[in-house]
Amino acid sequence: MSDRNILYDSFLKRYPQESLSGLALQEYTDLVPKESFCNWIESKLSELGSIWGSNSYKFGIYRYKNKPKENSKFKYDHTYAWLSKLGASDANSAFAIVRDALVDIARAARDKDLEAIEKIHTIDGMFKWKIAFLYSDKWLIPIYSRDWLKEICTNLGMPDGNKATIAQMMRFLID
């Protein structure tokens, strides 16, 4: 467990909560070097709970290697691709929306406001809840998959566990 604590502390040293509002797009997602915020969350911190398995749009915006295929759910320029649902016409505007969501998630995690985290839909569920865990001072449970949480809660006797939100399941497990 001490290695995981070192990893956790290393992340917070690299990306302290106070720095999130000043985070640059390049720090957030650029592919090289492998020190980006997104790389830390998905890859370097996989021992603190995996979020592998879905595409890079889970980050809200990302720098691509190969030009994405045309799809109305996504927008892109010569470097970045982002979710159309953000309503942004350019990468910097899209990232500003994502960055604001990061700040809100971290603040809500610090304040133990699970419902506020649940209401944020700018960022994908597993990615969102991993960020929440990382800025929660470890009071949240590092399980980010709705399916896994549902199974655990159901097995532990949570009433209506199949219909519960992630916030409700987290609260049940924490209590």
Side-chain angles (χ1 to χ4, degrees), residues 27-91:
E27 291 176 280
Y28 180 72
T29 188
D30 277 10
L31 302 170
V32 178
K34 296 271 185 192
E35 287 293 315
S36 73
F37 182 89
C38 293
N39 184 265
W40 270 86
I41 302 291
E42 183 175 52
S43 181
K44 286 188 173 193
L45 299 174
S46 63
E47 288 186 43
L48 301 179
S50 176
I51 61 166
W52 289 99
S54 61
N55 63 39
S56 295
Y57 285 107
K58 67 183 161 209
F59 305 127
I61 184 170
Y62 72 99
R63 182 177 177 150
Y64 60 82
K65 289 181 187 177
N66 301 310
K67 188 175 181 179
K69 294 179 181 178
E70 293 285 332
N71 186 324
S72 63
K73 292 181 181 182
F74 314 114
K75 291 188 176 193
Y76 60 90
D77 62 14
H78 60 281
T79 308
Y80 298 98
W82 60 94
L83 296 167
S84 296
K85 75 177 186 175
L86 298 175
S89 59
D90 62 79

Side-chain angles (χ1 to χ4, degrees), residues 61-146:
I61 184 170
Y62 72 99
R63 182 177 177 150
Y64 60 82
K65 289 181 187 177
N66 301 310
K67 188 175 181 179
K69 294 179 181 178
E70 293 285 332
N71 186 324
S72 63
K73 292 181 181 182
F74 314 114
K75 291 188 176 193
Y76 60 90
D77 62 14
H78 60 281
T79 308
Y80 298 98
W82 60 94
L83 296 167
S84 296
K85 75 177 186 175
L86 298 175
S89 59
D90 62 79
N92 287 321
S93 299
F95 178 63
I97 295 165
V98 170
R99 184 180 50 221
D100 288 348
L102 293 175
V103 169
D104 292 344
I105 292 165
R107 183 179 304 119
R110 180 199 63 213
D111 295 343
K112 299 183 178 184
D113 189 348
L114 294 172
E115 289 69 28
I117 299 166
E118 189 74 51
K119 290 177 184 175
I120 296 169
H121 298 290
T122 305
I123 296 175
D124 176 80
M126 288 197 320
F127 184 55
K128 170 175 69 174
W129 287 101
K130 186 163 186 179
I131 292 166
F133 167 74
L134 292 167
Y135 290 101
S136 74
D137 197 27
K138 301 181 208 167
W139 70 271
L140 277 174
I141 296 165
I143 300 172
Y144 319 112
S145 164
R146 179 177 177 68

